[in-house]
Amino acid sequence: MNTLRKSVRKCCWLLLIWMGACAEQSGVQVLTLAHTLPVTHPVHKGIEDFRDSVALYSGGQLEVRIYPDGQLGSEREVVEMLQIGSIDITKVSAAVMTNFSPAYAVLGLPYLFRSDEHRFAVLEGRVGEELLEGGVEFWLRGLAFYDAGNRSFYTRERKISSPEDLKGLKIRVMDDPLSVQTVNALGAAATPMPFGELYTALQQGVVDGAENNPPSLLTSRHFEVCRYYTLDRHSAVPDVLVIGTKAWDRLSPQARGWLRKAAAASSHNQKGYWSASVAECMDRLREAGVEIIEPDQSPFFEATEGIRRQASQDSSLRRLITLIQQQP
């Protein structure tokens, strides 16, 4: 099966190269954007906005072609393809970016931000710009951050009201050391797993639950298996729009300007898409019979204090944490 998947994916790459070559011969420069989310997701809407803005600002000279829903691989696989130039742009969780550009780890610290407003100010300010630019040494240039809300626990059979309730449960997490540490600190057994494999794993009891935001819980249809959603909001890891430096270096200064302008516009608009989607998703989850739990966050905050303290011992992360804390 793995061999078949690789063969199909290789055919897709060849097709993409062929289509891009045809387009460039007609005077249009094509950039391939692959990501893992379904087309109903509010982050995908932001990506569509980015595509449309690129076409508008470039007067049709630059085209972004989107391949959603994991068609070309997992988040980690697609980022690796950016580094070698097989794909040009992707949307990736900042948690996954940590595997490539370690400074992104600061954004995954539990209970880092005081509010949504504080988080946006950080991402759109000095810290955010530094992180986006910092990936260049790893052949990855950040263009903008997209709102991915707060991550909370959803479970199959056990209601979670405190960290004590997580003990003995296997909880799926992203392939990110800090995500593993956070969930383990809260008492569960963190289980890294690709998002695309999670529905079956939940159905079969391979894992007892997962942690994610409301739109992801709804669009993945994991709510069909998990009937409890605990809004502990232990982290608020954003998504990142990233272009590979191989693709970036091929672009003219003017084309780079179009991309920057389009990324900023789409980031702004995506916040609205996200806010509206969260409200709608919570209503639909309740209508589907999912029980929503609003726990006291204090025990969760206290259980993860060791992670924040350990991160502060790293000099580079300590500087970023200080800047984030100082951000109005």
Side-chain angles (χ1 to χ4, degrees):
M1 182 62 73
N2 287 336
T3 302
L4 177 59
R5 287 199 189 100
K6 290 178 181 178
S7 298
V8 171
R9 199 166 291 157
K10 186 178 292 185
C11 290
C12 290
W13 298 341
L14 292 173
L15 179 60
L16 290 173
I17 293 170
W18 177 79
M19 291 189 299
C22 291
E24 290 185 12
Q25 288 172 6
S26 66
V28 178
Q29 191 168 7
V30 176
L31 295 173
T32 302
L33 192 161
H35 69 84
T36 61
L37 297 173
V39 296
T40 53
H41 199 281
V43 171
H44 177 79
K45 293 181 181 179
I47 292 170
E48 289 181 318
D49 197 281
F50 171 70
R51 175 200 61 197
D52 296 343
S53 294
V54 167
L56 176 65
Y57 296 143
S58 71
Q61 297 178 57
L62 193 59
E63 178 184 346
V64 175
R65 290 185 179 166
I66 304 172
Y67 294 82
D69 211 18
Q71 293 178 43
L72 301 184
S74 67
E75 283 199 321
R76 182 162 188 151
E77 289 171 332
V78 172
V79 173
E80 290 170 348
M81 285 187 264
L82 254 67
Q83 291 179 308
I84 62 175
S86 297
I87 291 175
D88 303 311
I89 307 174
T90 191
K91 183 290 307 175
V92 62
S93 170
V96 176
M97 277 296 290
T98 300
N99 295 296
F100 301 90
S101 183
Y104 276 95
V106 71
L107 300 179
L109 288 172
Y111 301 105
L112 175 69
F113 302 109
R114 298 189 295 271
S115 64
D116 288 343
E117 292 73 22
H118 177 228
R119 172 160 50 95
F120 296 147
V122 168
L123 297 178
E124 294 165 9
R126 175 181 171 183
V127 171
E129 185 62 29
E130 182 175 326
L131 291 172
L132 293 176
E133 291 292 330
V136 170
E137 65 175 298
F138 306 100
W139 309 289
L140 301 166
R141 177 180 290 275
L143 294 172
F145 288 101
Y146 286 148
D147 187 10
N150 295 283
R151 300 181 74 89
S152 295
F153 291 106
Y154 51 88
T155 48
R156 297 170 63 243
E157 298 177 351
R158 188 187 301 178
K159 184 188 301 188
I160 307 301
S161 299
S162 72
E164 288 290 321
D165 298 325
L166 284 162
K167 288 185 177 179
L169 296 186
K170 291 178 290 184
I171 300 295
R172 179 268 175 184
V173 296
M174 294 179 285
D175 183 13
D176 161 52
L178 198 53
S179 297
V180 172
Q181 292 172 30
T182 297
V183 170
N184 285 344
L186 289 169
T191 307
M193 177 183 298
F195 191 69
E197 299 175 11
L198 181 52
Y199 189 98
T200 301
L202 288 166
Q203 271 188 321
Q204 297 177 350
V206 175
V207 292
D208 302 296
E211 45 89 56
N212 219 318
N213 51 58
S216 293
L217 173 56
L218 185 74
T219 59
S220 65
R221 305 197 70 83
H222 293 167
F223 69 90
E224 296 174 343
V225 187
C226 295
R227 311 306 296 171
Y228 301 106
Y229 192 26
T230 298
L231 301 180
D232 64 294
R233 302 179 177 91
H234 51 266
S235 67
V237 184
D239 282 334
V240 194
L241 187 66
V242 183
I243 184 169
T245 56
K246 289 186 180 296
W248 183 260
D249 292 343
R250 292 197 305 267
L251 298 173
S252 68
Q254 185 181 36
R256 294 173 186 174
W258 294 331
L259 286 184
R260 284 194 175 106
K261 189 176 178 181
S266 70
S267 177
H268 173 78
N269 293 338
Q270 189 267 340
K271 291 190 189 73
Y273 304 148
W274 185 269
S275 179
S277 177
V278 167
E280 178 187 356
C281 288
M282 291 302 294
D283 287 341
R284 290 180 61 185
L285 289 170
R286 290 187 180 96
E287 291 170 1
V290 175
E291 183 175 346
I292 310 297
I293 300 102
E294 291 268 10
D296 177 7
Q297 288 186 341
S298 299
F300 293 88
F301 180 86
E302 293 168 3
T304 55
E305 175 58 34
I307 295 175
R308 293 184 293 276
R309 186 168 54 249
Q310 181 179 359
S312 296
Q313 294 174 3
D314 181 304
S315 59
S316 59
L317 290 183
R318 181 169 62 247
R319 184 181 63 82
L320 291 173
I321 292 170
T322 299
L323 290 173
I324 290 170
Q325 291 173 337
Q326 292 173 346
Q327 177 72 52

